Amino acid sequence: MDPKKVKPESIAAQALGWIDEKTRAITPAIHVSSTYLRDPDNQYRSGRVYARADNPAFDQAEAVLVQLEGGASAMLFASGMAAATAVFQALAPGDHVLAPKVMYWSLRNWLMNFATHWGLNVELIDMTDPAAVQAAIRPGKTKLVWVETPANPLWTVTDIAATAAIARAAGAKLAVDSTVASPVLTQPLALGADIVMHAGTKYLGGHSDLIAGVLVAREDDDFWRRIRTVRAQVGGTLGSFEAWLLLRGMRTLYLRVRQASASAQRIADHFAVHPLVEAVLYPGLPGSPGHEVSKRQMRGGFGGMMSVRTKGGEAAAIATAANVELWKRATSLGGTESLIEHRASVEGAGTPAPGDLLRLSVGIEDADDLIADLEQALARAHAG
Ligand SMILES: Cc1ncc(COP(=O)(O)O)c(C=O)c1O
């Protein structure tokens, strides 16, 4: 297949159409070797030495990701956290970085604790407001701006193009956690980002059966090579079987994300005007704070993630989650099955999630079934 001649849907469905030349197999073998043979003259002409640094099991998945994100180079990691933290570890102590106040809580905790103790100067700002980014950025001192959009758990939206312009003018890199949008809905590199990050655990894998992380870079530059060194030395390397599962999952990425987005839009529209619901947080709702920016930078849907604030406060929210029969009460997102969770219980102190908020990851079940189950769960929570 010539990836320049076909659409990303075709690239994903056939995983670039690669075949195993030795066996003519259409799906790849799983290479599990931890080490590679050195040539008799002491060279490593295969280009591979040791599988903490590099693994042929990564090649096809990384090549697919380069195409889907329009980048120059991709790297797989052992988890989304391993991918994200590798970007920060490629900086130097004393470097100033900007990150959003509303973001994936585990990474925020790592930034405010480990990374800060290690010497990074981390400043959390309202990343949805370009004026706030402009005011906080320090030309020459700010080395990285980290964006997550739409962002956990309120699904706030950051204008990637506007933020990229501010970062570039100040000499900073822009990295975007695009886990929730996936390459199907947003192309951060085309909008000016330098690095795009995904928790491959979510939509890319798509079946709640692996933990993986991904970075894709617009340019194979010094900063990217430092990140590669961090992966090789710190060892947040993905396993061979997980790389294979990730590639398998990506074949259906476009179908799954489009179905989840369409269902999420229906669910958001339905519950936005519901007597037992205080508010629905979803960028696809006209009039929601991120809607206009999302219309510009998301194509073909607004994603499968939303939050519902129930009437009746925290007790009603927890009771609603307790009463679902089809939705699964679990953390995570991006799988085929729909998940519901009381987010403040997960994040604890410092969470931006109000007590009445339920985070929903919409899967690929029938949307009417999902709506009916939430209806009965809300009704039972309020009856009890
Ligand atoms: C937006 C986002 N980024 C990063 C991560 C971290 O990914 P992982 O759990 O694979 O480390 C998550 C996990 O929930 C996430 O939702």
Side-chain angles (χ1 to χ4, degrees), residues 134 233 267 374 377:
Q134 186 67 69
Q233 296 183 344
I267 293 167
L374 271 184

Side-chain angles (χ1 to χ4, degrees), residues 56-76:
F58 298 169
D59 292 357
Q60 196 167 353
E62 289 181 345
V64 169
L65 284 158
V66 161
Q67 293 300 327
L68 300 189
E69 288 291 4
S73 180
M75 263 189 267
L76 304 187

Side-chain angles (χ1 to χ4, degrees), residues 73-305:
S73 180
M75 263 189 267
L76 304 187
F77 288 82
S79 66
M81 280 297 287
T85 55
V87 177
F88 292 98
Q89 287 174 89
L91 298 169
D95 284 350
H96 180 240
V97 307
L98 295 176
K101 283 185 184 152
V102 176
M103 68 184 293
Y104 174 56
W105 70 295
S106 206
L107 183 59
R108 188 184 62 228
N109 281 350
W110 183 85
L111 286 172
M112 298 323 288
N113 294 291
F114 186 95
T116 303
H117 291 153
W118 178 71
L120 277 189
N121 181 2
V122 183
E123 190 175 341
L124 301 184
I125 60 166
D126 176 4
M127 200 61 77
T128 67
D129 176 9
V133 183
Q134 186 67 69
I137 205 154
R138 303 182 201 160
K141 292 222 159 51
T142 308
K143 295 293 190 247
L144 180 72
V145 178
W146 185 269
V147 162
E148 178 181 330
T149 187
N152 275 285
L154 309 178
W155 317 114
T156 46
V157 172
T158 293
D159 185 331
I160 297 172
T163 312
I166 297 169
R168 190 169 317 119
K173 296 274 187 194
L174 178 72
V176 177
D177 181 342
S178 194
T179 298
V180 167
S182 90
V184 178
L185 305 177
T186 304
Q187 310 271 263
L189 302 181
L191 293 168
D194 298 288
I195 290 177
V196 56
M197 176 251 149
H198 293 280
T201 313
K202 318 297 178 183
Y203 290 103
L204 298 179
H207 295 76
S208 305
D209 55 9
L210 91 141
I211 299 282
V214 166
L215 296 177
V216 186
R218 193 152 49 83
E219 278 176 53
D220 190 350
D221 58 8
D222 282 350
F223 188 58
W224 185 243
R225 283 188 281 279
R226 280 209 299 281
I227 296 172
R228 192 176 286 287
T229 303
V230 170
R231 186 181 70 168
Q233 296 183 344
V234 179
T237 319
L238 192 63
S240 300
F241 180 54
E242 284 72 16
W244 187 92
L245 275 178
L246 182 68
L247 186 68
R248 198 267 300 264
M250 286 196 292
R251 290 176 188 262
T252 54
L253 176 68
Y254 285 77
L255 292 176
R256 288 184 287 99
V257 169
R258 285 186 180 140
Q259 179 62 53
S261 295
S263 295
Q265 186 72 53
R266 279 199 51 204
I267 293 167
D269 289 344
H270 181 93
F271 287 102
V273 288
H274 193 281
L276 299 180
V277 169
E278 191 65 46
V280 172
L281 312 182
Y282 184 61
L285 286 174
S288 73
H291 187 61
E292 291 309 314
V293 173
S294 297
K295 275 202 299 195
R296 284 206 301 276
Q297 72 186 19
M298 300 182 86
R299 261 188 330 222
F302 298 92
M305 295 304 299

